[in-house]
Amino acid sequence: MTADLPRVSVQDVLNCSFPVWYPIFEKHSFKSVILKLTDDVVQYLRSDKFYLPTGANEAMDEMRRLNTESSDDEDHWSDEDADNDTTNKISFPEFEQQIKNVLEQYNAVFPKLNWSSPKDARWMISDSRLKCMNLADIFLLLKSSDFITHDICEPFKFCYDDTDNLLSTIQYVLVLRKWSALQPSKEFRCFVKNHRIIAISQRDSENYYEFIEPVADQIITNIVEFFNTHIQNKFPSSDYVVDIYRKDSNKLYIIDFNPWGPMTDSLLFDWPDILTLSLQNNNEKPEFRYVSSQNGIKPNSYTQYAVPKDIADISRERDFNKLADVLSSRVQVQNHDTDSDNETNT
Amino acid sequence: MNSCETICQTRLTQQSSDNLNLKLLTPLTPEIIRRQATINIGIIGHVAHGKSTLVKSLSGIQTGKFGKEKQQNMTMKLGYANAKIFECDNEKCPRPERYRSIGSKTGDQFPCDRSGCGGQFRLIRHVSFVDCPGHDTFMAAMLNGAAVMDAALLVIAANEFCPQPQTSEHLAAINIMNLKSIIVLQNKVDLVGQIKAEKQYKQILDFIQDTNAENAPIIPISAQLNCNIDTVCDYIVRKIPIPIRDFTSKSRMTIIRSFDINKPGANVDDLKGGIAGGSISKGVLKINQEIEIRPGLIFTNDKGQVQCCPIKSKITSLYAEQNQLTFAVPGGLIGVGTKIDPTLCRADRLVGQILGEIDTLPKIYTEITIKYFLLRRAFGVHCYSSNEPPKISKLYKTEVLLINIGSLSTGGRVLGIKDDLAKIQLTKPVCAEINEKLALSRRINGHYRLIAWGEIQEGKELEPRMNM
């Protein structure tokens, strides 16, 4: 007999908001600075229009200038169209300065909003990761990310008690965590029911790490001990999901909290499995799932975010008509090219 | 490796790269197909018509094991499943029973199960059945013209009137992709009587008239009951032409994953080099081969200039699925073990970079000038409030777009526009070729949407530094 899938409340989601949990667990997490987002920044992030703030634009211009050896023939490219230079001069002087101060302090940062990091936009900047060393990096990531759009437009989408006026009550923040190159093989997602871990999943669930199996029991012990000592009964919800980084057997950190419910990826479990486990009211140690054998390279699940959504729509058969449309439009362009080539040749 | 895997490995005859003559390799070379799928066959059709059951039946995964093992269901999520096709070596063994299709883990040969036969089933094809539409990776490759499929199986349910609206779209897509090698499968014949099946057969014949599928064989099957699947294998072997592959080009692979497999607190002496994973687009990779990865290490020097330093290393291991390889050809996703500093490979850091033979890789660009063709409207009508998808407005200076160049993704800031040309500053250095095709996308209603097709005309190169 399986239980019904859990319902998530607005309060559960709010409890997972960074400015709510970080002050409680600061000592056992990574160094972070929390910057409040003013309304103009929130509006900027919500808008589809994608222009960098002036400061970042200027930085990118400067980068071009520095990397030019000879002078470009810029002349016939500049201002072809007078109204092309519409006033897209966006600027948040105070906010940008705050970010610069943190960058000065930490050298490199990992950005996120209240709940999500722009992991889906990692294709935007070098090294395919979220290491930001300047303003442009940060804004490029925030503006290209569907995860960030979700945070800033519909954070309570999956809550049963969501109402229209909740969005305006949220104090949005930009979190800048001191950059550290974490090892995905050391991240573990823990499912907590009634203040007890009942299941643990390897977080990088598509890759095989040989070293995990021989130390599996030790991993469980370390995590449970860390949880019992520092997290249990201190988090405001009784059911939740917590991601833990196990750098070493005696060095563990809290990465993040997520609500207890299907909107949180259950990785190597299915939510029905987890619910079944949660109904077993024994004091057994949690079930630990990890990839136990080499199964080859898998397609990267982040690819879907690095291509236009039209592609994802086709893949999920939300719109097969589109495949034919997209393909034929590309053929049209090729024919158009061939035609114009033919014209110039006659 | 556990004992089961060791057994499978020993069942596969040792692969040797010593006397490797690249000119003699084909998609049927026994040494290759033991370990890698070399032919891609798309399975096209509506999911309700039995595609997934068909794939499970062809790749030997038992039907009816739904939901139990997450790994099992992963096959469907992956969008492809590999299968080995065997043929009994006894001439007297009749068609179609002399053909069998089984999962890739199977060894080179095993005894024929026809009573009194005495022959051996021998491996003759290693096929990758690609779900279409399927995983984003394949769709993304198709975006800029990569041919992902050599042939197609078009699946039509016998208990539906033909054509269903989706079936028309599927056939349209097949036409546009220029696929000529097609087999039509009339699935679920167990649910209809002989008369109904024949009636629909005629509907199918009418339907495929004047399309690429005009002369396609139509095979009645029941994937659920594993009925007539050997006939499908028979037709795959005898009707689908062997694709032409070029194994002699300088090898090249786009990296889609990279990682560090070292355990916490590993000794410096025990450190294993980083691993890169991807799909080989041309040529062959071999163990001990010297390779280069571009753009490589990207950094800003103290003058504020962007620099890159290609990574050079050696291949220490190769694998596909659960098979170790001594050499790898294009086909499927390959894992490449190297001597690269594992921190450079950690957490997908090399995704989007190109791996290949030293001094053969494309130029690295930080800026490109493109010829582009703006779409009039965004694709699709769904999820927009009005009935019409929005009109696409022209490009604006300094706006930032998503650019897909071949199978790579990067951001680009528009620097200037002149007629049908645009100059774009890339948000990170990428490898690209002149005349390479690309797609531009802009954020519309909170998601990236296709707005233009393009082609690289020229670009500003970043000279790689050869050492730090």
Coordinates of all heavy atoms in Angstrom, one line a residue, chain B residues 141-223:
Chain B
A141 N 21.3 17.9 -31.6 CA 22.2 17.6 -32.7 C 21.5 17.8 -34.0 O 22.1 18.4 -35.0 CB 22.7 16.1 -32.6
M142 N 20.2 17.5 -34.1 CA 19.5 17.7 -35.3 C 19.3 19.2 -35.6 O 19.1 19.6 -36.8 CB 18.1 17.0 -35.2 CG 18.2 15.5 -35.5 SD 16.7 14.7 -35.0 CE 15.5 15.6 -36.0
L143 N 19.3 20.0 -34.6 CA 19.0 21.4 -34.7 C 19.9 22.0 -35.7 O 19.4 22.8 -36.6 CB 19.3 22.1 -33.3 CG 18.9 23.5 -33.2 CD1 17.5 23.8 -33.3 CD2 19.4 24.1 -31.8
N144 N 21.2 21.7 -35.7 CA 22.1 22.3 -36.7 C 22.5 21.3 -37.8 O 23.6 21.5 -38.3 CB 23.3 22.9 -36.0 CG 22.9 24.3 -35.4 OD1 22.2 25.1 -36.0 ND2 23.3 24.5 -34.1
G145 N 21.7 20.4 -38.0 CA 21.9 19.6 -39.2 C 22.6 18.3 -39.1 O 22.9 17.6 -40.1
A146 N 23.0 17.9 -37.9 CA 23.7 16.6 -37.7 C 22.8 15.5 -38.0 O 21.6 15.5 -37.6 CB 24.3 16.5 -36.3
A147 N 23.2 14.6 -38.8 CA 22.4 13.4 -39.2 C 22.5 12.4 -38.1 O 23.6 11.8 -37.8 CB 22.9 12.8 -40.5
V148 N 21.4 12.2 -37.3 CA 21.5 11.4 -36.2 C 21.1 9.9 -36.5 O 21.5 9.0 -35.8 CB 20.6 11.9 -35.1 CG1 20.7 11.1 -33.8 CG2 20.9 13.3 -34.8
M149 N 20.3 9.7 -37.6 CA 19.8 8.4 -37.9 C 20.2 7.9 -39.3 O 20.3 8.7 -40.2 CB 18.3 8.4 -37.8 CG 17.8 8.6 -36.4 SD 16.0 8.8 -36.4 CE 15.9 10.6 -36.3
D150 N 20.5 6.6 -39.4 CA 20.8 6.0 -40.6 C 19.6 5.4 -41.3 O 19.5 5.3 -42.5 CB 21.8 4.9 -40.4 CG 23.1 5.4 -39.8 OD1 23.7 6.3 -40.4 OD2 23.5 4.8 -38.7
A151 N 18.6 5.1 -40.5 CA 17.4 4.5 -41.0 C 16.3 4.7 -39.9 O 16.5 5.2 -38.8 CB 17.6 3.0 -41.2
A152 N 15.0 4.4 -40.3 CA 13.9 4.6 -39.3 C 12.9 3.5 -39.4 O 12.7 2.9 -40.4 CB 13.2 5.9 -39.7
L153 N 12.4 3.2 -38.2 CA 11.3 2.2 -38.0 C 10.1 3.1 -37.7 O 10.1 3.8 -36.6 CB 11.5 1.2 -36.9 CG 12.8 0.3 -37.0 CD1 12.8 -0.6 -35.8 CD2 12.8 -0.5 -38.3
L154 N 9.1 3.1 -38.5 CA 7.9 3.9 -38.3 C 6.9 3.0 -37.7 O 6.4 2.1 -38.3 CB 7.4 4.6 -39.6 CG 6.1 5.4 -39.5 CD1 6.3 6.6 -38.6 CD2 5.8 5.9 -40.9
V155 N 6.5 3.4 -36.4 CA 5.6 2.5 -35.7 C 4.1 3.0 -35.8 O 3.9 4.2 -35.4 CB 6.0 2.4 -34.2 CG1 5.1 1.5 -33.4 CG2 7.4 1.9 -34.1
I156 N 3.2 2.2 -36.2 CA 1.8 2.5 -36.4 C 1.0 1.5 -35.6 O 1.2 0.3 -35.9 CB 1.4 2.6 -37.8 CG1 2.3 3.7 -38.5 CG2 -0.1 2.9 -38.0 CD1 1.9 3.8 -40.0
A157 N 0.1 1.9 -34.8 CA -0.7 0.9 -34.1 C -1.8 0.4 -35.0 O -2.6 1.2 -35.6 CB -1.3 1.6 -32.8
A158 N -2.0 -0.9 -35.0 CA -3.0 -1.5 -35.8 C -4.4 -1.2 -35.4 O -5.3 -1.3 -36.3 CB -2.8 -3.1 -35.8
N159 N -4.6 -0.9 -34.2 CA -6.0 -0.7 -33.7 C -6.4 0.8 -33.8 O -7.4 1.2 -33.2 CB -6.1 -1.2 -32.3 CG -5.2 -0.4 -31.3 OD1 -4.3 0.3 -31.7 ND2 -5.4 -0.6 -30.0
E160 N -5.7 1.6 -34.6 CA -6.1 2.9 -34.9 C -6.3 3.1 -36.3 O -5.6 2.5 -37.1 CB -5.0 3.9 -34.4 CG -4.6 3.8 -32.9 CD -5.2 4.9 -32.1 OE1 -6.1 5.6 -32.6 OE2 -4.8 5.0 -30.9
F161 N -7.1 4.1 -36.7 CA -7.3 4.4 -38.1 C -6.0 5.1 -38.6 O -5.4 5.8 -37.9 CB -8.5 5.4 -38.3 CG -8.6 5.8 -39.7 CD1 -9.4 5.1 -40.6 CD2 -8.1 7.0 -40.2 CE1 -9.5 5.5 -41.9 CE2 -8.2 7.4 -41.5 CZ -8.9 6.7 -42.4
C162 N -5.6 4.7 -39.8 CA -4.3 5.3 -40.3 C -4.7 6.2 -41.5 O -5.3 5.8 -42.4 CB -3.4 4.2 -40.8 SG -1.9 4.9 -41.6
P163 N -4.2 7.5 -41.5 CA -3.2 8.0 -40.6 C -3.8 8.8 -39.4 O -4.8 9.4 -39.6 CB -2.4 9.0 -41.5 CG -3.5 9.5 -42.5 CD -4.5 8.4 -42.7
Q164 N -3.2 8.6 -38.3 CA -3.5 9.5 -37.1 C -2.8 10.8 -37.4 O -1.8 10.8 -38.2 CB -2.9 8.9 -35.8 CG -3.6 7.6 -35.4 CD -5.0 8.0 -34.8 OE1 -5.1 8.6 -33.8 NE2 -6.1 7.6 -35.5
P165 N -3.3 11.9 -36.8 CA -2.6 13.2 -37.1 C -1.1 13.2 -36.8 O -0.3 13.7 -37.6 CB -3.3 14.2 -36.1 CG -4.6 13.5 -35.7 CD -4.4 12.0 -35.9
Q166 N -0.7 12.5 -35.7 CA 0.7 12.5 -35.4 C 1.5 11.8 -36.4 O 2.6 12.1 -36.8 CB 1.0 11.9 -34.0 CG 0.2 12.4 -32.9 CD -1.0 11.5 -32.6 OE1 -1.3 10.6 -33.5 NE2 -1.6 11.6 -31.5
T167 N 0.9 10.7 -36.9 CA 1.6 9.8 -37.9 C 2.0 10.7 -39.1 O 3.1 10.5 -39.7 CB 0.8 8.6 -38.3 OG1 0.0 8.2 -37.2 CG2 1.6 7.5 -38.9
S168 N 1.1 11.6 -39.5 CA 1.4 12.4 -40.7 C 2.6 13.3 -40.4 O 3.5 13.5 -41.2 CB 0.2 13.3 -41.0 OG -1.0 12.6 -41.2
E169 N 2.6 13.8 -39.2 CA 3.7 14.7 -38.8 C 5.0 13.9 -38.8 O 6.1 14.3 -39.2 CB 3.5 15.3 -37.4 CG 2.3 16.2 -37.3 CD 2.5 17.4 -38.3 OE1 3.6 17.8 -38.6 OE2 1.4 17.9 -38.8
H170 N 4.9 12.6 -38.3 CA 6.1 11.8 -38.2 C 6.7 11.6 -39.6 O 7.9 11.6 -39.9 CB 5.8 10.4 -37.6 CG 5.4 10.6 -36.2 ND1 4.8 9.5 -35.5 CD2 5.4 11.6 -35.3 CE1 4.5 9.9 -34.2 NE2 4.8 11.2 -34.1
L171 N 5.8 11.3 -40.5 CA 6.2 11.0 -41.9 C 6.8 12.3 -42.5 O 7.8 12.2 -43.3 CB 5.0 10.5 -42.7 CG 5.4 9.7 -44.0 CD1 6.4 8.6 -43.6 CD2 4.1 9.0 -44.5
A172 N 6.2 13.4 -42.2 CA 6.7 14.7 -42.7 C 8.2 14.9 -42.2 O 9.0 15.3 -43.0 CB 5.8 15.8 -42.3
A173 N 8.4 14.6 -41.0 CA 9.7 14.7 -40.4 C 10.7 13.8 -41.1 O 11.8 14.2 -41.4 CB 9.7 14.5 -38.9
I174 N 10.3 12.6 -41.4 CA 11.1 11.6 -42.0 C 11.5 12.1 -43.4 O 12.7 12.0 -43.8 CB 10.4 10.2 -42.1 CG1 10.4 9.6 -40.8 CG2 11.2 9.3 -43.1 CD1 9.6 8.3 -40.8
N175 N 10.6 12.7 -44.1 CA 10.8 13.3 -45.4 C 11.8 14.4 -45.4 O 12.8 14.4 -46.1 CB 9.5 13.8 -46.0 CG 8.7 12.7 -46.7 OD1 9.2 11.7 -47.0 ND2 7.4 13.0 -47.0
I176 N 11.6 15.3 -44.4 CA 12.5 16.4 -44.3 C 13.9 16.0 -43.9 O 14.9 16.6 -44.4 CB 12.0 17.4 -43.3 CG1 10.6 18.0 -43.8 CG2 12.9 18.6 -43.1 CD1 9.9 18.7 -42.8
M177 N 14.0 15.0 -43.1 CA 15.3 14.5 -42.7 C 16.0 13.8 -43.8 O 17.1 13.3 -43.6 CB 15.2 13.6 -41.4 CG 14.9 14.4 -40.2 SD 15.1 13.3 -38.7 CE 13.4 12.7 -38.6
N178 N 15.3 13.6 -44.9 CA 15.8 12.9 -46.0 C 16.2 11.4 -45.8 O 17.1 10.9 -46.4 CB 17.1 13.6 -46.5 CG 17.0 13.8 -48.0 OD1 16.0 13.4 -48.6 ND2 17.9 14.5 -48.5
L179 N 15.5 10.8 -44.8 CA 15.7 9.4 -44.5 C 15.1 8.6 -45.6 O 13.9 8.7 -46.0 CB 15.1 9.0 -43.2 CG 15.9 9.4 -42.0 CD1 15.1 9.1 -40.7 CD2 17.2 8.7 -41.9
K180 N 15.9 7.7 -46.2 CA 15.4 6.9 -47.3 C 15.1 5.5 -46.9 O 14.4 4.7 -47.5 CB 16.3 6.9 -48.5 CG 16.7 8.3 -49.0 CD 15.9 8.7 -50.3 CE 16.0 10.1 -50.7 NZ 17.3 10.7 -50.6
S181 N 15.8 5.1 -45.9 CA 15.8 3.7 -45.5 C 14.8 3.5 -44.3 O 15.0 3.9 -43.2 CB 17.2 3.3 -45.0 OG 17.2 1.9 -44.8
I182 N 13.6 3.0 -44.7 CA 12.5 3.0 -43.7 C 11.8 1.7 -43.7 O 11.6 1.1 -44.8 CB 11.4 4.1 -44.1 CG1 12.1 5.5 -44.1 CG2 10.3 4.1 -43.1 CD1 11.3 6.5 -44.9
I183 N 11.4 1.2 -42.5 CA 10.6 0.0 -42.4 C 9.4 0.4 -41.6 O 9.5 1.1 -40.5 CB 11.4 -1.1 -41.7 CG1 12.6 -1.5 -42.5 CG2 10.5 -2.3 -41.4 CD1 13.5 -2.5 -41.7
V184 N 8.2 0.1 -42.0 CA 7.0 0.4 -41.3 C 6.6 -0.8 -40.4 O 6.5 -1.9 -40.9 CB 5.8 0.8 -42.2 CG1 4.6 1.1 -41.5 CG2 6.2 1.9 -43.1
L185 N 6.3 -0.6 -39.2 CA 5.9 -1.7 -38.3 C 4.4 -1.4 -37.9 O 4.0 -0.4 -37.4 CB 6.7 -1.7 -37.1 CG 8.2 -1.9 -37.3 CD1 9.0 -2.0 -36.0 CD2 8.5 -3.2 -38.1
Q186 N 3.6 -2.4 -38.2 CA 2.2 -2.4 -37.8 C 2.1 -3.1 -36.5 O 2.0 -4.3 -36.5 CB 1.3 -3.0 -38.9 CG -0.2 -2.8 -38.8 CD -0.9 -3.7 -39.8 OE1 -0.5 -4.7 -40.2 NE2 -2.2 -3.3 -40.1
N187 N 2.1 -2.4 -35.4 CA 2.2 -2.9 -34.1 C 0.8 -3.2 -33.5 O -0.2 -2.7 -33.9 CB 3.0 -2.0 -33.2 CG 3.3 -2.6 -31.9 OD1 3.4 -3.9 -31.8 ND2 3.6 -1.8 -30.9
K188 N 0.7 -4.1 -32.5 CA -0.5 -4.4 -31.8 C -1.5 -5.2 -32.6 O -2.7 -5.1 -32.4 CB -1.2 -3.2 -31.2 CG -0.3 -2.3 -30.4 CD -1.2 -1.3 -29.6 CE -0.3 -0.3 -28.9 NZ -1.1 0.6 -28.0
V189 N -1.0 -6.0 -33.5 CA -1.9 -6.8 -34.3 C -2.6 -7.9 -33.5 O -3.6 -8.4 -33.9 CB -1.2 -7.5 -35.5 CG1 -0.8 -6.5 -36.6 CG2 0.0 -8.3 -35.1
D190 N -2.1 -8.1 -32.3 CA -2.8 -9.1 -31.4 C -4.1 -8.5 -30.9 O -5.0 -9.3 -30.4 CB -1.9 -9.4 -30.2 CG -1.4 -8.2 -29.5 OD1 -0.9 -7.2 -30.2 OD2 -1.4 -8.1 -28.3
L191 N -4.3 -7.2 -31.1 CA -5.5 -6.6 -30.6 C -6.6 -6.5 -31.6 O -7.8 -6.2 -31.3 CB -5.2 -5.2 -30.0 CG -4.3 -5.1 -28.8 CD1 -4.1 -3.6 -28.4 CD2 -4.8 -5.9 -27.7
V192 N -6.3 -6.8 -32.9 CA -7.3 -6.7 -33.9 C -7.4 -8.0 -34.7 O -6.4 -8.8 -34.6 CB -7.0 -5.5 -34.9 CG1 -6.9 -4.2 -34.2 CG2 -5.8 -5.8 -35.7
G193 N -8.5 -8.3 -35.3 CA -8.6 -9.5 -36.1 C -7.8 -9.4 -37.4 O -7.3 -8.3 -37.8
Q194 N -7.7 -10.5 -38.2 CA -7.0 -10.6 -39.5 C -7.6 -9.5 -40.4 O -6.9 -8.8 -41.1 CB -7.2 -12.0 -40.0 CG -6.7 -12.1 -41.5 CD -5.5 -13.0 -41.6 OE1 -5.0 -13.5 -40.6 NE2 -4.9 -13.1 -42.7
I195 N -9.0 -9.5 -40.4 CA -9.6 -8.6 -41.4 C -9.3 -7.1 -41.2 O -9.0 -6.4 -42.1 CB -11.2 -8.8 -41.3 CG1 -11.4 -10.3 -41.5 CG2 -11.9 -8.0 -42.4 CD1 -12.9 -10.7 -41.8
K196 N -9.4 -6.8 -39.9 CA -9.1 -5.4 -39.5 C -7.7 -5.0 -39.9 O -7.3 -4.0 -40.4 CB -9.3 -5.1 -38.0 CG -10.7 -4.5 -37.7 CD -10.7 -4.0 -36.3 CE -11.8 -3.0 -36.1 NZ -11.8 -2.5 -34.7
A197 N -6.8 -6.0 -39.6 CA -5.3 -5.8 -39.8 C -5.1 -5.5 -41.3 O -4.4 -4.6 -41.7 CB -4.5 -6.9 -39.3
E198 N -5.7 -6.4 -42.1 CA -5.5 -6.2 -43.6 C -6.1 -4.9 -44.1 O -5.5 -4.3 -45.0 CB -6.2 -7.4 -44.3 CG -5.3 -8.6 -44.3 CD -5.9 -9.9 -44.9 OE1 -7.0 -9.7 -45.5 OE2 -5.4 -11.0 -44.7
K199 N -7.2 -4.5 -43.5 CA -7.9 -3.3 -43.9 C -6.9 -2.1 -43.6 O -6.7 -1.2 -44.4 CB -9.2 -3.1 -43.2 CG -10.0 -1.9 -43.6 CD -11.5 -2.0 -43.1 CE -12.1 -0.7 -43.2 NZ -13.0 -0.3 -42.1
Q200 N -6.3 -2.1 -42.4 CA -5.5 -1.0 -42.0 C -4.2 -1.1 -42.9 O -3.6 0.0 -43.2 CB -5.1 -1.1 -40.6 CG -4.7 0.3 -40.0 CD -3.5 0.2 -39.1 OE1 -2.7 -0.6 -39.2 NE2 -3.5 1.2 -38.2
Y201 N -3.8 -2.3 -43.2 CA -2.6 -2.4 -44.1 C -2.8 -1.6 -45.4 O -1.9 -0.9 -45.8 CB -2.4 -3.9 -44.4 CG -1.2 -4.3 -45.2 CD1 0.0 -4.5 -44.6 CD2 -1.3 -4.4 -46.6 CE1 1.1 -4.9 -45.4 CE2 -0.2 -4.7 -47.4 CZ 1.0 -4.9 -46.8 OH 2.1 -5.3 -47.6
K202 N -4.0 -1.7 -45.9 CA -4.2 -1.0 -47.2 C -4.2 0.5 -46.9 O -3.7 1.3 -47.7 CB -5.6 -1.4 -47.8 CG -5.6 -2.8 -48.3 CD -6.7 -3.0 -49.4 CE -6.7 -4.4 -49.9 NZ -7.4 -5.3 -49.0
Q203 N -4.7 0.9 -45.7 CA -4.7 2.4 -45.4 C -3.3 2.9 -45.3 O -2.9 4.0 -45.8 CB -5.4 2.6 -44.0 CG -6.9 2.5 -44.0 CD -7.4 2.5 -42.5 OE1 -6.7 2.6 -41.6 NE2 -8.7 2.4 -42.4
I204 N -2.4 2.0 -44.7 CA -1.0 2.4 -44.6 C -0.4 2.6 -46.0 O 0.3 3.5 -46.3 CB -0.2 1.4 -43.8 CG1 -0.7 1.3 -42.4 CG2 1.3 1.7 -43.8 CD1 0.0 0.3 -41.5
L205 N -0.7 1.6 -46.9 CA -0.1 1.7 -48.3 C -0.5 3.0 -48.9 O 0.3 3.6 -49.5 CB -0.7 0.5 -49.1 CG 0.1 -0.8 -49.0 CD1 -0.6 -1.9 -49.8 CD2 1.5 -0.7 -49.4
D206 N -1.8 3.3 -48.8 CA -2.3 4.6 -49.4 C -1.5 5.8 -48.8 O -1.1 6.7 -49.5 CB -3.8 4.8 -49.1 CG -4.6 3.9 -50.0 OD1 -4.1 3.5 -51.1 OD2 -5.8 3.6 -49.6
F207 N -1.4 5.7 -47.5 CA -0.8 6.8 -46.7 C 0.7 7.1 -47.1 O 1.1 8.2 -47.2 CB -0.9 6.5 -45.3 CG -0.2 7.4 -44.3 CD1 -0.4 8.7 -44.3 CD2 0.8 6.9 -43.5 CE1 0.2 9.6 -43.4 CE2 1.4 7.7 -42.6 CZ 1.2 9.0 -42.6
I208 N 1.4 6.0 -47.4 CA 2.8 6.2 -47.7 C 3.2 6.5 -49.1 O 4.3 6.8 -49.5 CB 3.7 5.0 -47.2 CG1 3.3 3.7 -47.9 CG2 3.7 4.9 -45.7 CD1 4.2 2.5 -47.4
Q209 N 2.1 6.4 -50.0 CA 2.3 6.8 -51.4 C 3.0 8.2 -51.5 O 2.6 9.1 -50.8 CB 0.9 6.9 -52.1 CG 0.4 5.6 -52.6 CD 1.3 4.9 -53.6 OE1 1.6 5.6 -54.6 NE2 1.6 3.7 -53.4
D210 N 3.9 8.3 -52.5 CA 4.5 9.6 -52.7 C 5.2 10.2 -51.6 O 5.4 11.4 -51.5 CB 3.4 10.6 -53.2 CG 2.7 10.2 -54.4 OD1 3.4 9.6 -55.3 OD2 1.5 10.4 -54.6
T211 N 5.7 9.3 -50.7 CA 6.6 9.8 -49.6 C 7.8 9.0 -49.6 O 7.9 8.0 -50.4 CB 5.9 9.7 -48.2 OG1 5.9 8.3 -47.9 CG2 4.5 10.3 -48.2
N212 N 8.8 9.4 -48.8 CA 10.0 8.6 -48.7 C 9.8 7.2 -48.3 O 10.6 6.3 -48.6 CB 11.0 9.2 -47.7 CG 11.8 10.4 -48.3 OD1 11.5 10.9 -49.4 ND2 12.8 10.9 -47.6
A213 N 8.6 6.9 -47.7 CA 8.3 5.6 -47.2 C 7.6 4.7 -48.2 O 7.1 3.6 -47.9 CB 7.5 5.7 -45.9
E214 N 7.4 5.2 -49.5 CA 6.6 4.6 -50.5 C 6.9 3.1 -50.7 O 6.0 2.3 -50.8 CB 6.9 5.3 -51.8 CG 5.8 5.2 -52.8 CD 6.0 6.1 -54.0 OE1 7.2 6.5 -54.2 OE2 5.0 6.5 -54.6
N215 N 8.2 2.8 -50.7 CA 8.5 1.4 -51.0 C 8.9 0.6 -49.7 O 9.5 -0.4 -49.8 CB 9.7 1.3 -52.0 CG 9.2 1.9 -53.3 OD1 8.1 1.6 -53.8 ND2 10.1 2.8 -53.9
A216 N 8.6 1.2 -48.6 CA 9.0 0.6 -47.3 C 8.2 -0.7 -47.1 O 7.0 -0.8 -47.3 CB 8.8 1.5 -46.2
P217 N 8.9 -1.8 -46.6 CA 8.2 -3.0 -46.2 C 7.3 -2.6 -45.0 O 7.6 -1.8 -44.2 CB 9.3 -4.0 -45.8 CG 10.5 -3.2 -45.7 CD 10.3 -1.9 -46.4
I218 N 6.1 -3.3 -44.9 CA 5.2 -3.1 -43.8 C 5.2 -4.5 -43.1 O 4.7 -5.4 -43.6 CB 3.8 -2.7 -44.3 CG1 3.9 -1.4 -45.1 CG2 2.9 -2.5 -43.0 CD1 2.6 -1.0 -45.8
I219 N 5.6 -4.5 -41.8 CA 5.7 -5.7 -41.1 C 4.7 -5.7 -39.9 O 4.7 -4.8 -39.1 CB 7.1 -6.0 -40.5 CG1 8.1 -5.8 -41.6 CG2 7.2 -7.3 -39.8 CD1 9.5 -5.9 -41.0
P220 N 3.8 -6.7 -39.9 CA 2.8 -6.7 -38.7 C 3.6 -7.4 -37.6 O 4.2 -8.4 -37.7 CB 1.7 -7.6 -39.2 CG 2.3 -8.4 -40.4 CD 3.5 -7.7 -40.9
I221 N 3.4 -6.8 -36.4 CA 4.1 -7.3 -35.2 C 3.3 -7.1 -34.0 O 2.3 -6.4 -34.0 CB 5.5 -6.6 -34.9 CG1 5.2 -5.1 -34.6 CG2 6.4 -6.7 -36.1 CD1 6.4 -4.4 -34.0
S222 N 3.7 -7.9 -32.9 CA 3.1 -7.5 -31.6 C 4.3 -7.4 -30.7 O 5.0 -8.4 -30.3 CB 2.2 -8.6 -31.1 OG 2.0 -8.4 -29.7
A223 N 4.7 -6.2 -30.3 CA 5.9 -6.0 -29.4 C 5.6 -6.6 -28.1 O 6.4 -7.2 -27.5 CB 6.2 -4.5 -29.3

